[in-house]
Amino acid sequence: MDFGFDPHQSRLRARIRAVLATPGVRRAIDDLAAGTGEPDERPLYRAIGAAGVLAPDWPAEFGGLGGGPMSLAVVAEELSRAGVPDTLHINTVQIVGSVLRAIGAADQQRRWLPRFAAGERFACVLYTEPEAGSDLAALTTRAEPAPGGYLVSGTKIYSLKAALCDVALAAVRTGDPGSRYDGITLVLIDLHAPGVRVARMPSLADEHFHRVELDAVFVPESDVLGEPGAGWAALTTALAMERTGLDYALKAARWYDTARAALTPGDAADSLADLGRHGARADAARLLAWAALARLEEDRFDPVFAAMAKLHTSESAAAVAEWGAALHGAAAAPATGRARCLESAWREAPGLTISAGVSEVMLELIAGSLSGSAR
């Protein structure tokens, strides 16, 4: 792996930094930082999207810059360093946008991708269900045939940012499956359509999870992604591509830098061993994430390597958050500034080892590859 950046990536990094330094964008970032609770970053994303840098890996016709996964990672890294919340970007561009590019019809791509890239519309994911958990093959949300499309009924849980989004990528069942993996279809659901109810779920983190109840929601045939009943392969590929670990590595780096910056010289001397250990862990997480991204860039994606990246980066971010909060007493007495950031990280961290695949499932994938039994 080449640990440097090519000229295109270096120019892109300079470009996004210039966008983030403009007065309007900087003011929007500061306004979010001054608030409490879950931020509404849509105005900020519209300001950034107007500069055409939110989806640099997409073709120009969709509002992108024609780069690859490494270009997207450069932008994500700079957004994180500037203090831009990442969930809407991850869900809209990196997950839903990637699925649309992979299996979406031309009219679906033209309808949604330019608006995603401009920060005008936002998307979330509806996979998990109350009785299915991480076992997506056990999902039960039904899509019954109706004139011109389907009527979708069921309940999805643990959806981030659903209350702020316009559309959701949902996994549903169409027809009777021949096996657990048959009959699953991916659809786009208008979250403002009749029959959709979005309710906040209790959560420790600042960002809220949502429960989305679907009661005979009409989904036109034009909003079905790929072939009906053939969604499992696309779903597993999409999940694996979420596991580069970059977003977790960025959190680990941000939380480590925050904890280190809050130390006095005396505290730093007393905590030297922990500083070195957690700093090395954060650096290793970043290198592992970039290695996974390099494989994507070279079109040699490896789901087992991705599982390794997701496991290490999410566990590292959680460890850094716990250390930083304990070091500064942030969990017991959150105040303002750095202490509040670390207290928020401490509450968010446990969820990182669950989202995009729980650590135990990642371990199973890795162990299965070593024994030759991985699917």
Side-chain angles (χ1 to χ4, degrees), residues 25 42 50 170 267 305 345 365 368:
V25 171
R42 289 176 296 180
D267 291 335
F305 190 92
L365 285 171

Side-chain angles (χ1 to χ4, degrees), residues 148-204:
Y150 296 90
L151 293 177
V152 176
S153 297
T155 300
K156 300 291 187 176
I157 57 174
Y158 299 126
S159 176
L160 280 168
K161 296 292 184 181
L164 301 180
C165 291
D166 306 285
V167 66
L169 172 65
V172 302
R173 286 203 177 274
T174 52
D176 296 322
S179 75
R180 282 162 36 90
Y181 308 102
D182 296 330
I184 294 176
T185 301
L186 296 182
V187 300
L188 295 174
I189 293 180
D190 178 358
L191 291 175
H192 306 299
V196 177
R197 181 176 180 272
V198 179
R200 180 176 143 190
M201 299 177 68
S203 172
L204 289 175

Side-chain angles (χ1 to χ4, degrees), residues 95 160 247 256 313 327 357:
I95 299 177
L160 280 168
D247 46 338
Y256 175 78
T313 56
L327 182 65

Side-chain angles (χ1 to χ4, degrees), residues 32-189:
L32 285 178
T36 58
E38 181 174 31
D40 181 356
E41 56 264 51
R42 289 176 296 180
L44 171 58
Y45 273 98
R46 291 188 187 101
I48 299 172
V53 294
L54 282 180
D57 56 324
W58 294 359
E61 64 179 304
F62 298 139
L65 299 174
M70 298 284 275
S71 296
L72 180 60
V74 166
V75 168
E77 192 166 69
E78 292 304 320
L79 292 178
S80 176
R81 286 175 174 170
V84 177
D86 62 0
T87 303
L88 273 182
H89 187 249
I90 292 169
N91 286 350
T92 302
V93 174
Q94 299 181 38
I95 299 177
V96 179
S98 294
V99 173
L100 271 168
R101 286 188 61 201
I103 65 171
D107 65 310
Q108 293 170 334
Q109 294 175 346
R110 287 193 299 269
R111 188 178 359 140
W112 288 108
L113 293 181
R115 292 193 283 177
F116 288 167
E120 296 173 355
R121 294 291 184 271
F122 300 94
C124 64
V125 173
L126 301 181
Y127 293 161
T128 306
E129 298 183 1
E131 302 301 324
S134 295
D135 183 9
L136 292 183
L139 66 88
T140 60
T141 295
R142 296 287 305 178
E144 299 292 346
Y150 296 90
L151 293 177
V152 176
S153 297
T155 300
K156 300 291 187 176
I157 57 174
Y158 299 126
S159 176
L160 280 168
K161 296 292 184 181
L164 301 180
C165 291
D166 306 285
V167 66
L169 172 65
V172 302
R173 286 203 177 274
T174 52
D176 296 322
S179 75
R180 282 162 36 90
Y181 308 102
D182 296 330
I184 294 176
T185 301
L186 296 182
V187 300
L188 295 174
I189 293 180

Side-chain angles (χ1 to χ4, degrees), residues 194-218:
V196 177
R197 181 176 180 272
V198 179
R200 180 176 143 190
M201 299 177 68
S203 172
L204 289 175
D206 287 337
E207 289 190 315
H208 302 140
F209 288 109
H210 292 90
R211 178 187 183 96
V212 181
E213 296 180 356
L214 308 169
D215 183 10
V217 178
F218 180 68

